[in-house]
Amino acid sequence: MHIPDGYLGPQTTIPGFAVMVPAWAVAFKKVKAKLERKNIPTLALCSAFSFLVMMFNVPVAGGSSAHAVGAVLIAILLGPWAATVSVSTALLIQALIFGDGGILSYGINCLNMAVVMPFTGYYLYKLIAGKSKIGSSRNIAASFFGSYFGLNIAAFCASVEFGIQPLLFQDAAGHPLYCPYPLSVSIPSMLFAHGMVAGPIEGILAAAAVTYIARVTPQIFSGNAAPESAGPVSFFQRYRNILIPIIAMIVLTPLGLIASGTAWGEWGTDEIKDALGYVPQGLASLSDQWNALMPDYSLPALGDGTFGSVAGYLLSAFAGILLISALIFLMSRLVTKGRKGTGRK
Amino acid sequence: MHDGKSIGKIPDWLLQSSGESSNGIENRSRAKTHFLRRTLKNIAGVLENELYCEKYAAKDSFLQIIDPRVKLCIFLAFLVFGGMAGKLAVLTVLAAVPIVYAGLSGLAVKDFFRRIWLVVPLAVFIVSLPGTSSLLIRGRPLFYLLPPGGLGLKEGLYFSAGGLGTAFRLMLRTGISLSFAFLLFLTTKWSKITAGLASMHLPPLVVSILNMAYRYLFLLAEIAQGMMEARYLRTTGKLKLSDNRHFMAHSAAYLFVEGHFVSEEVYEAMCCRGYTGNAVGLSASRIGQKDFIFLTMNAVILFLLIAGEHLK
């Protein structure tokens, strides 16, 4: 993913620097505040670590090997801003001394590998890991997926940067001035290579490294991980992972008003009559058996206007979820009560 | 006299003749420790590169005595121009500039050329070939790889002058960038490069991190090398792919832990020596007459190249 000079036009690489300068400024400020005066040796060692991790060849199937980037691993251990500083420094040394990645493309390389990768990977890791204990199965899975997707999202960004070159920069004869591969080639080829080989390697390295550090020196995670005993937690905190999606679903239910027509198979007798010209006798008799409390997700008391419809949808969703949750809760109590009783005996 | 089976516990490979035995192990371990050898090669490359650069940067030749700030500015100007130039002739001339400088600065030109042009630019050229063929860039065919109708391709597979020009342009730009970067590093000590960056108003924190990162890179590289060598020497028999992966991941994790502890020791050592949060450099260079001459001559070269680019 180290883009060499020549593949991207200056009109792409210079904006890369324009984006990175404020990102570096914020990163240094944040990291300085977090690590205080210890920042220089810690960040220097992390940069050296980042550099060396890119030299670690991890075996892949078929006897070959591939190297990892380690940006998400550093983000998990020290936070995403520290990863930005460390990976940027490592990339600068690589570009200047080893010619790995260009000088003009340094800004773009940093954007991909020192910003996009650690930030997307880290927040995905946080989302999956939640409040799980460092080194737990969920936490390790989160490290794997965070690293895997962080790398692939960064690779996607790089592929877009490659792919837009032939669209943007051509000579008078229409020949591409920089990377010749269009988006239709660059995106699949980059994502295939990173999704199948480099991504799993990145994920495995991060997950195994997190497991190792959690066992050997868990104190390194301090500041980035949730405390193990956080004291009493509120109802919302405890069930946040369930409640947030449910609330989001309730809020989104009025979207049903936008849809025209009726879902297939959910026709009322009026709609069946319009479509077929008659209502089957059995259906007509059955339809009168049950009158819903809130017909068509509306309450007569709220009126027929937009407000009434939206409020009706929300109330219906809320009532439905409450009813179903109560049933599931009751069922779980009945099931676990029996199991606990057996256990005590 | 004896065969392996009759001795029982002694493995067969130990009873083979020395030549056969070592070759056998070598051949078997090659299949299993490919990743270790590649990692060791990478790390050795870092250490070797440092020795190589130190050897030339310590010389007292042409580019070595030029102020690093002047070199940085001039080389950056060449790089930006190289990124924008489109004419192959101009790019070729620009590619020759660092080679001439290398020769005048006492560097081994053949080695310089080999290190730069036969690795990344060549790879860039090869990788760009499919994209610059008639599959993506059409024009008047220069030569055919597949005649029209071959492999179901109606127009065949060929390279046009425009397509090949694009491939060469990519290769030249990559090579030019690498050449100037290497030239800067081969003729300037790292501490002088960072001092030059500091005098160009790069924040002191960044300069300190760059300096220390570069210094401790070799310390961590040696630790990593030790781990890989130990594993390589101990590896016999067939190991599971997952075990090898875990070893590499645990090595990376151990390196991080080691680096973390070293950073705390380094910080304490710095405090003992009176560190208050601001790093102070000892080298203070001044721009002299030779630097002005270098600046002027390169400005003329750049002007000529720009003129060449805009000639009809």
Side-chain angles (χ1 to χ4, degrees):
Chain A
M1 218 193 301
H2 292 67
I3 303 173
D5 279 343
Y7 263 100
L8 307 179
Q11 295 90 335
T12 314
T13 54
I14 292 167
F17 280 104
V19 174
M20 279 313 296
V21 168
W24 284 320
V26 177
F28 277 105
K29 200 178 166 187
K30 294 254 183 195
V31 167
K32 208 174 170 180
K34 190 180 170 190
L35 299 172
E36 296 169 342
R37 273 162 56 185
K38 275 185 177 179
N39 54 52
I40 295 176
T42 306
L43 288 175
L45 264 300
C46 274
S47 306
F49 168 76
S50 170
F51 181 96
L52 278 170
V53 139
M54 293 189 214
M55 306 211 140
F56 273 41
N57 280 82
V58 182
V60 292
S64 186
S65 57
H67 78 84
V69 177
V72 183
L73 174 63
I74 298 173
I76 293 169
L77 296 168
L78 291 176
W81 291 109
T84 300
V85 174
S86 304
V87 179
S88 297
T89 310
L91 288 175
L92 184 63
I93 295 174
Q94 282 184 328
L96 275 176
I97 301 167
F98 301 97
D100 208 0
I103 307 285
L104 295 178
S105 12
Y106 174 64
I108 281 283
N109 280 330
C110 284
L111 183 66
N112 296 337
M113 284 185 275
V115 175
V116 173
M117 187 176 167
F119 273 88
T120 53
Y122 177 73
Y123 284 107
L124 189 65
Y125 158 80
K126 292 288 277 183
L127 187 76
I128 299 170
K131 298 278 179 187
S132 62
K133 192 183 164 190
I134 294 290
S136 65
S137 310
R138 184 175 164 185
N139 190 267
I140 291 162
S143 311
F144 176 87
F145 288 112
S147 295
Y148 178 85
F149 286 106
L151 183 81
N152 278 286
I153 292 166
F156 174 75
C157 291
S159 68
V160 171
E161 288 148 14
F162 282 133
I164 58 172
Q165 299 304 309
L167 298 172
L168 296 176
F169 312 112
Q170 295 176 344
D171 63 10
H175 302 134
L177 281 168
Y178 301 98
C179 177
Y181 295 106
L183 287 165
S184 58
V185 176
S186 64
I187 292 177
S189 55
M190 284 286 280
L191 287 190
F192 180 78
H194 286 84
M196 300 302 286
V197 182
I201 289 298
E202 190 76 30
I204 290 167
L205 186 113
V210 165
T211 313
Y212 179 89
I213 296 173
R215 270 191 214 145
V216 179
T217 50
Q219 68 272 22
I220 283 181
F221 288 96
S222 60
N224 285 313
E228 281 181 33
S229 55
V233 287
S234 67
F235 177 81
F236 181 77
Q237 279 177 321
R238 193 172 175 187
Y239 296 105
R240 197 175 60 167
N241 290 343
I242 301 169
L243 288 172
I244 289 175
I246 289 176
I247 292 168
M249 283 160 66
I250 292 175
V251 170
L252 290 174
T253 43
L255 284 176
L257 292 170
I258 299 168
S260 59
T262 309
W264 199 89
E266 294 180 11
W267 309 290
T269 47
D270 296 343
E271 284 150 332
I272 289 173
K273 192 176 180 183
D274 286 345
L276 300 176
Y278 73 101
V279 181
Q281 200 179 354
L283 189 74
S285 62
L286 277 172
S287 68
D288 297 329
Q289 300 284 321
W290 167 255
N291 287 313
L293 288 170
M294 297 170 77
D296 287 334
Y297 303 101
S298 61
L299 268 180
L302 295 171
D304 293 334
T306 311
F307 172 77
S309 304
V310 171
Y313 255 76
L314 289 173
L315 270 174
S316 308
F318 185 73
I321 288 168
L322 206 65
L323 185 69
I324 291 168
S325 301
L327 282 172
I328 293 172
F329 182 72
L330 186 70
M331 184 172 62
S332 84
R333 284 297 294 259
L334 287 170
V335 171
T336 52
K337 194 181 173 185
R339 200 168 62 89
K340 274 177 189 169
T342 315
R344 276 180 198 137
K345 283 171 191 173
Chain B
M1 296 283 285
H2 301 282
D3 64 11
K5 282 172 190 169
S6 64
I7 291 176
K9 285 183 182 176
I10 301 174
D12 288 338
W13 60 266
L14 199 61
L15 297 168
Q16 286 168 355
S17 66
S18 58
E20 194 190 339
S21 171
S22 62
N23 285 338
I25 289 167
E26 188 74 17
N27 288 338
R28 270 179 282 149
S29 62
R30 266 186 191 178
K32 291 168 238 147
T33 56
H34 174 259
F35 67 102
L36 282 174
R37 283 183 293 109
R38 273 187 75 174
T39 307
L40 275 170
K41 195 181 165 194
N42 289 343
I43 297 169
V46 173
L47 302 172
E48 185 249 326
N49 197 65
E50 167 64 5
L51 292 172
Y52 181 81
C53 294
E54 276 286 312
K55 178 180 146 192
Y56 289 111
K59 282 192 172 187
D60 207 15
S61 296
F62 175 43
L63 278 181
Q64 284 88 338
I65 57 167
I66 302 293
D67 190 279
R69 288 167 289 180
V70 175
K71 272 192 279 189
L72 263 173
C73 292
I74 289 292
F75 289 176
L76 268 177
F78 278 130
L79 278 180
V80 172
F81 173 72
M84 290 175 157
K87 284 192 177 169
L88 280 175
V90 172
L91 285 170
T92 310
V93 173
L94 183 59
V97 171
I99 296 173
V100 175
Y101 275 139
L104 293 173
S105 305
L107 311 183
V109 177
K110 203 174 157 187
D111 200 32
F112 180 78
F113 182 84
R114 185 180 55 81
R115 273 176 171 253
I116 288 159
W117 289 96
L118 297 186
V119 189
V120 182
L122 193 65
V124 165
F125 181 74
I126 293 166
V127 168
S128 63
L129 280 178
T132 53
S133 69
S134 59
L135 292 172
L136 291 176
I137 300 177
R138 302 208 172 162
R140 202 158 59 86
L142 208 59
F143 64 90
Y144 278 95
L145 291 178
L146 280 172
L151 284 176
L153 293 168
K154 195 180 170 187
E155 292 181 20
L157 185 65
Y158 64 87
F159 281 99
S160 64
L164 274 184
T166 302
F168 276 110
R169 227 176 270 135
L170 283 175
M171 182 184 79
L172 283 168
R173 283 203 195 103
T174 309
I176 288 165
S177 167
L178 275 177
S179 301
F180 281 109
F182 270 107
L183 197 59
L184 176 72
F185 192 69
L186 283 170
T187 58
T188 322
K189 286 184 176 171
W190 179 252
S191 57
K192 284 190 176 175
I193 295 176
T194 51
L197 290 171
S199 62
M200 290 163 81
H201 302 289
L202 199 72
L205 178 70
V206 182
V207 175
S208 299
I209 290 171
L210 273 173
N211 272 330
M212 290 186 68
Y214 187 68
R215 181 176 291 266
Y216 290 106
L217 173 67
F218 299 103
L219 178 77
L220 290 190
E222 280 182 20
I223 297 171
Q225 195 178 27
M227 286 190 291
M228 297 300 143
E229 277 175 352
R231 176 68 182 224
Y232 183 67
L233 293 172
R234 278 184 283 132
T235 301
T236 54
K238 195 171 182 180
L239 292 175
K240 277 198 269 178
L241 195 66
S242 57
D243 288 344
N244 287 334
R245 282 182 190 148
H246 275 106
F247 166 73
M248 292 308 283
H250 290 170
S251 300
Y254 174 75
L255 205 62
F256 182 86
V257 173
E258 192 67 17
H260 195 76
F261 289 132
V262 168
S263 76
E264 288 185 1
E265 285 173 11
V266 168
Y267 176 69
E268 282 161 15
M270 284 163 75
C271 289
C272 289
R273 289 170 193 154
Y275 175 69
T276 54
N278 293 315
V280 182
L282 289 174
S283 58
S285 57
R286 289 181 68 183
I287 294 175
Q289 197 185 6
K290 61 183 185 311
D291 301 312
F292 279 112
I293 295 169
F294 182 76
L295 196 69
T296 315
M297 291 308 291
N298 279 293
V300 171
I301 295 170
L302 197 60
F303 175 76
L304 289 173
L305 288 167
I306 294 169
E309 177 67 18
H310 290 92
L311 275 178
K312 295 268 177 179

